[in-house]
Amino acid sequence: MLAFRNSLLTLLAVALLPACSTEDQPPASTTGYSVAEVPLHQISDDLAAGRTTSAIVTGGYIARITAMDGELNSVIAIAPDALQQAAASDARRAAGEELGPLDGVPILLKDNLDALGMPTTAGSYALADNVPERDSEVTRRLRAAGVVILGKANLSQFAGFRNTASFNGSTVGGSPKNPYDIRRSPAGSSSGSGVATAMSFAAATIGTETAGSIVGPSSVNGIVGMKPTIALVSRRGIVPISLNQDSSGPMTRSVRDAAMILDAIAGTDPEDPWSVEADEHVAPYEAALDVDALRGARLGVIRPTGASASNVTRLFDAALDVLEAEGAELVELPSDALVDPRPEMRVILLHDFKVDLNAYLETTPSLVPVRTLADLIDFSVTDPRENMHTMDYWDDAQATENGRSGAEYRAALANGHRLTREEGIDRLLREYDLDVLVTPTGTPASRIEPDGTPRAGPIPEGPRGTRPPGLTVVAAVAGYPLISVPMGLVDGLPVGLTFAGTAWTEARLLAVAYDYEQASMARIPPDRALGSR
């Protein structure tokens, strides 16, 4: 565990824990509350009913992180005022002034979201002094709902957009481990968020996704993760890769919990102009949940391809049986239903990263030593805590010219949208008269490779077809929503089931995911999975 993480996590936890046993504690009958595997909606109900307090729940999570995170490396920092936030929530409830169902519920943020009182490092020492003067819009909305911002979760550095070689986690937070098998990867880039949710280190976490960074970790850590339509949730105050593909969303232990969080964070933000349409499309997401949502629904089945597809075939077939038993009509789609958009995505992300990161860095405090991508490259070449890792994505992004106005970029964006929208997801939904697409989210967690191991990376150079097309990447370039729900275990390791649709269909996706979740009850927590290996 690295020194920076030690100082922000362990020391803060030790300092905060005594506050949990002051004279302000509720009667002894309510102090035995265990947070392990308690879903967010149950904590919400228990707080409302007076069966526990936010101070007890928050203290329980801090104690659990301190005792159990260790080599899992999922949490970078605990908020120094976490228990004060909890006490303020308890005071509001006592006065009959609670702010809603999330009031007093502790949630961890991925450490690329700005939150007052803690640095936003994106996992890099270049941003160690990036203590923001404002909350990100997501954080602001959560605070307005009464959420206790518990701390920051580890991540792949700069959300995984640094290099092609293996780089497990971040220099600040270390290498996160999969709680089902610490020799396995928790996936990226929202790795810490996935592990922390699976381990009940918070009621829920917030992740971010550019091309699989919410649903991937959700799948291999056995939790629910939703990536919303681009700009349904504001990106202001989040360290970016690409405003064309970046999204922020909930990572939870149940679909209901994800819907409750989306109810709080979705909507238009004037400071994210891309979100101008969001308010028109916001729906009451928790209210949309329905155990009969699959009845009569037409689902397009996309079977996995590639060498590792056989790993999940049995599990996927069992999930399809559940969907059919719930009343869904399954429509098998051809193996070439999707086209791989990675060539276009490579051009989009390299150009966007330079433009969008430079814009974010301009807003950081004066103590931050990097103001541009070029500065970040120089810092990471010379700083001994950073220079052991390559940075070919950064070099390639820095070499781009003309930003979003160049002909190559504009052609890639138009082509990418055409292939993934009107000739991709929208075509399949229309041509086969489908409501939703369904596919395995991925394969079981891979073994952790040593840092520096050569690999192709998510946006390999080369012609189309370098990899089989996947729904996660197609939805990423399209900017369309998807949700991953636990599907069960393969050799003791979780795999998720993805539901995807066209833009602004979060309510429908949550509803069918909820129906499947309630019918299958397929999530098996890490401690209960040990015997299945």
Side-chain angles (χ1 to χ4, degrees):
M1 193 181 301
L2 301 180
F4 189 89
R5 181 174 180 268
N6 260 337
S7 61
L8 286 178
L9 171 57
T10 308
L11 294 181
L12 280 174
V14 170
L16 287 168
L17 281 172
C20 296
S21 57
T22 68
E23 59 189 15
D24 297 325
Q25 274 279 52
S29 61
T30 65
T31 59
Y33 194 89
S34 171
V35 295
E37 277 304 303
V38 182
L40 180 152
H41 61 269
Q42 184 63 58
I43 290 172
S44 174
D45 288 348
D46 290 342
L47 289 170
R51 290 187 286 266
T52 190
T53 67
S54 181
I56 288 174
V57 172
T58 302
Y61 284 128
I62 293 171
R64 191 169 171 85
I65 293 167
T66 305
M68 301 179 69
D69 195 33
E71 64 184 335
L72 293 176
N73 286 337
S74 72
V75 180
I76 283 181
I78 295 171
D81 65 343
L83 286 170
Q84 290 90 328
Q85 294 178 59
S89 173
D90 291 334
R92 287 193 296 272
R93 286 194 182 276
E97 299 172 353
E98 60 270 18
L99 298 174
L102 296 182
D103 202 341
V105 174
I107 290 177
L108 286 164
L109 308 176
K110 185 177 178 178
D111 194 23
N112 58 353
L113 283 85
D114 285 348
L116 289 167
M118 289 178 287
T120 304
T121 72
S124 168
Y125 284 101
L127 298 184
D129 293 319
N130 184 27
V131 181
E133 297 174 357
R134 302 172 63 198
D135 282 330
S136 68
E137 178 64 11
V138 169
T139 309
R140 186 197 69 77
R141 286 176 179 254
L142 291 172
R143 289 197 203 272
V147 165
V148 173
I149 304 300
L150 181 62
K152 294 293 195 76
N154 198 5
L155 71 166
S156 303
Q157 189 183 94
F158 281 93
F161 202 80
R162 172 165 171 159
N163 61 359
T164 51
S166 292
F167 180 5
N168 298 294
S170 69
T171 50
V172 171
S175 173
K177 307 295 192 301
N178 192 303
Y180 289 81
D181 182 346
I182 61 172
R183 300 166 298 179
R184 303 272 177 169
S185 169
S189 64
S190 303
S191 51
S193 297
V195 175
T197 300
M199 289 295 295
S200 299
F201 290 159
T205 61
I206 301 295
T208 65
E209 173 158 330
T210 304
S213 290
I214 288 176
V215 296
S218 295
S219 177
V220 302
N221 289 288
I223 61 170
V224 174
M226 180 159 217
K227 190 266 293 193
T229 303
I230 291 301
L232 176 67
V233 176
S234 169
R235 285 80 53 80
R236 182 189 64 76
I238 302 177
V239 181
I241 294 177
S242 162
L243 289 181
N244 274 293
Q245 291 187 204
D246 289 349
S247 190
S248 181
M251 299 174 71
T252 62
R253 289 181 294 279
S254 78
V255 174
R256 182 177 295 278
D257 297 351
M260 290 174 69
I261 292 174
L262 195 59
D263 277 331
I265 64 176
T268 297
D269 172 15
E271 294 188 66
D272 181 354
W274 302 55
S275 72
V276 64
E277 297 181 61
D279 278 352
E280 299 173 27
H281 298 285
V282 168
Y285 298 111
E286 186 185 9
L289 303 182
D290 182 1
V291 292
D292 292 318
L294 285 165
R295 190 172 305 282
R298 286 177 58 84
L299 272 54
V301 177
I302 299 177
R303 292 196 173 271
T305 57
S308 58
S310 60
N311 288 354
V312 298
T313 297
R314 179 191 58 77
L315 206 59
F316 186 46
D317 285 341
L320 295 178
D321 288 343
V322 173
L323 296 173
E324 224 168 13
E326 286 298 291
E329 184 178 350
L330 304 182
V331 180
E332 295 277 349
L333 299 181
S335 59
D336 62 352
L338 300 174
V339 174
D340 180 14
R342 281 187 178 87
E344 287 78 13
M345 185 167 75
R346 179 179 176 85
V347 175
I348 294 166
L349 296 191
L350 290 176
H351 284 75
D352 281 357
F353 185 67
K354 182 178 179 180
V355 172
D356 295 332
L357 182 67
N358 284 350
Y360 173 85
L361 291 175
E362 286 178 3
T363 71
T364 59
S366 59
L367 287 175
V368 175
V370 295
R371 316 307 298 177
T372 65
L373 173 57
D375 292 342
L376 177 61
I377 292 170
D378 289 343
F379 179 96
S380 301
V381 166
T382 58
D383 190 285
R385 299 166 297 179
E386 294 289 338
N387 63 14
M388 72 289 295
H389 299 288
T390 56
M391 55 192 82
D392 49 294
Y393 284 160
W394 294 356
D395 291 335
D396 291 346
Q398 181 60 25
T400 61
E401 298 178 349
N402 302 317
R404 289 196 250 266
S405 63
E408 180 191 23
Y409 175 86
R410 287 186 285 109
L413 187 64
N415 219 29
H417 285 169
R418 175 180 58 80
L419 290 171
T420 60
R421 293 177 180 178
E422 54 263 37
E423 295 179 11
I425 291 173
D426 292 332
R427 177 187 65 83
L428 292 175
L429 295 174
R430 181 183 64 254
E431 190 173 305
Y432 293 91
D433 189 25
L434 303 173
D435 298 296
V436 172
L437 302 176
V438 62
T439 193
T441 309
T443 56
S446 61
R447 287 189 176 271
I448 295 174
E449 298 174 321
D451 282 349
T453 302
R455 61 187 182 96
I459 48 172
E461 296 183 78
R464 198 181 312 283
T466 304
R467 293 183 187 172
L471 184 56
T472 296
V473 171
V474 171
V477 176
Y480 287 177
L482 33 72
I483 184 170
S484 179
V485 185
M487 185 168 62
L489 302 177
V490 174
D491 297 327
L493 299 170
V495 178
L497 183 70
T498 285
F499 298 96
T502 192
W504 316 116
T505 55
E506 284 78 8
R508 184 61 187 266
L509 296 180
L510 284 160
V512 298
Y514 179 72
D515 188 346
Y516 168 75
E517 173 196 57
Q518 295 301 300
S520 65
M521 301 301 288
R523 178 170 186 267
I524 300 174
D527 61 337
R528 298 177 202 165
L530 294 175
S532 63
R533 290 198 192 120

